[in-house]
Amino acid sequence: MGSSFDNWDRTIPGSLPMHDLQRLARAAALEQIRGPGAPQRHLLLEDTVVVGRSEGQIRIASGELSRSHMRMERQGPEWVCTDLDSSNGIYLNGVRIHSAVLREGDMLQLGDVILVFHAGG
Amino acid sequence: MALFVKFWGTRGSIPTPGPATSRYGGNTACVEIRVDDSLFICDGGTGLRELGLDLMKRARGRPIVGHLLFSHPHWDHIQGFPFFSPIYQPANTFHIYGFARGDQRIFRLLSGQMRSDYFPVDFSELSATIHHAELPTGQGPIDGVYVRAMPQLHPGGSWAFSFEAQGKKVVYATDHELDLHLDDREKSMRDPAAPRVLPGSLVDFVAGADLLIADGQYTDEEYKTKVGWGHPRATTVVDLAVAAGVKQLAITHHDPMQTDVDVEKKIAACRVRAAARAPEMVVFAAREGVELKLA
């Protein structure tokens, strides 16, 4: 059969380690609702994640993003976003900020990209 | 030159931790202003504790020097001081300001709250060097920044501070019952939509601020039963900011009874009011953990 069946056994939940599933299910995320590639969900699986046009773990191909635009950093149970001296800045719920401790549902605008922060479990 | 402002405590009267206030925060008044290497701290409410922890982390063992300006000594503005960890480190130096010649009131009250009746560590045991400092005329340069203090209407008195450096201006003005300045306060409460005219001296103090951080504790409705309590309607602050040509207005000192949803409704009303007369002005609720850069 075609390649779609090559890894079919990986769809059986029991074949994946439970802690990996839980880690994915509980991960904080940036839900991209506008901008190139939207809609899509970017999971925050490392303690420090850089978002940018061409650098970092989350790359969004928008000309309005700087190469490295924003850093997401886990500090204890919280996530902090910081502007990496980008050209178009970060707007948190409509207000331009340098950095912020994020809360569930916060909307981040980076140029023409809009991301909604989800804190995870 | 880089000027940063960070909110560490935006609540008034009493800390209000809990899920209903988690977005805007429950710590009481504390704002950090950094101009290059110069550190200014406005008020030492409970937010001062976390600021202290962050300063120690950022300093990485290097001495910390800071200028502490207290608007007034009500509990919600000084209760974080004993928990400000940098004051326990001998390498650090802090200057606590009075704004008239010989004015040591704040210094005395801060040290007074650290006596055994109230707190297990005595002020005399603090390891950092802590100076009483003065701006005897109410204004002057501090560490490369021009600082002015203005007296405000609040039970027992309070001060507003402005900070100017290299063309940027930040004003911190909490605990000021602006509405008591209105000639026609009763009329403005019957007709809240009408513009409110504030004294020229207040407008001048705030004029052209890149950021005004101001007490906006009450909604129009709440203020009806709070006249004389020392805090204004948030909408009156908007009118001051509009008259002064402020670029960004951060409403702070949120009432302890206001949940995050209530704060958002209060700010929405402020934005509607500002939009009619100053559509370019950015109005927002001061929120714990948010840092602005005034480039």
Side-chain angles (χ1 to χ4, degrees), chain B residues 1-276:
Chain B
M1 193 270 300
L3 196 163
F4 293 89
V5 177
K6 186 161 183 176
F7 301 102
W8 291 94
T10 62
R11 191 65 57 170
S13 307
I14 191 166
T16 54
T21 55
S22 61
R23 185 175 298 279
Y24 295 98
N27 276 311
T28 65
C30 185
V31 168
E32 174 191 6
I33 298 174
R34 293 196 318 280
V35 182
D36 293 330
D37 293 330
S38 302
L39 170 66
F40 298 86
I41 299 173
C42 296
D43 281 334
T46 57
L48 186 62
R49 187 187 75 88
E50 290 195 33
L51 168 53
L53 295 173
D54 197 65
L55 282 173
M56 300 284 283
K57 190 170 135 188
R58 282 186 255 157
R60 296 183 188 176
R62 292 188 305 268
I64 301 169
V65 177
H67 306 279
L68 276 65
L69 292 85
F70 291 86
S71 61
H72 66 305
H74 286 163
W75 284 341
D76 52 332
H77 295 257
I78 63 170
Q79 66 198 156
F81 185 76
F83 299 92
F84 182 50
S85 49
I87 60 177
Y88 297 95
Q89 303 299 321
N92 300 332
T93 302
F94 294 98
H95 308 274
I96 297 174
Y97 286 81
F99 306 103
R101 196 172 301 281
D103 177 13
Q104 298 199 22
R105 181 173 171 241
I106 292 285
F107 193 88
R108 278 192 291 104
L109 287 166
L110 278 178
S111 54
Q113 74 171 349
M114 293 182 75
R115 288 192 189 148
S116 62
D117 286 335
Y118 308 114
F119 197 73
V121 178
D122 194 274
F123 189 85
S124 61
E125 298 175 56
L126 300 181
S127 302
T129 302
I130 302 181
H131 294 296
H132 164 69
E134 284 180 5
L135 282 177
T137 62
Q139 60 182 326
I142 300 176
D143 225 358
V145 177
Y146 201 82
V147 179
R148 294 175 215 268
M150 180 189 74
Q152 303 183 118
L153 284 179
H154 188 69
S158 68
W159 295 93
F161 308 117
S162 82
F163 302 85
E164 293 178 69
Q166 297 190 22
K168 294 294 175 188
K169 178 174 175 178
V170 177
V171 176
Y172 177 81
T174 187
D175 291 66
H176 187 186
E177 192 168 350
L178 284 175
D179 291 83
L180 293 182
H181 288 286
L182 298 174
D183 283 338
D184 53 357
R185 186 180 74 245
E186 294 294 327
K187 184 178 170 196
S188 79
M189 288 169 70
R190 287 193 301 273
D191 180 15
R196 297 162 210 167
V197 179
L198 287 147
S201 57
L202 299 188
V203 175
D204 288 343
F205 187 81
V206 175
D210 295 274
L211 174 65
L212 168 60
I213 303 164
D215 179 352
Q217 182 151 340
Y218 298 127
T219 64
D220 289 354
E221 192 59 33
E222 288 166 343
Y223 185 68
K224 289 177 184 173
T225 55
K226 300 288 196 291
V227 177
W229 283 46
H231 303 283
R233 291 176 280 180
T235 47
T236 305
V237 180
V238 169
D239 284 15
L240 172 65
V242 168
V246 164
K247 297 185 182 64
Q248 296 191 90
L249 169 61
I251 301 282
T252 191
H253 210 273
H254 307 306
D255 190 85
M257 296 299 289
Q258 289 169 3
T259 64
D260 289 335
V261 172
D262 296 325
V263 169
E264 281 163 7
K265 285 181 187 167
K266 179 174 71 174
I267 296 305
C270 290
R271 285 179 171 158
V272 166
R273 191 176 184 90

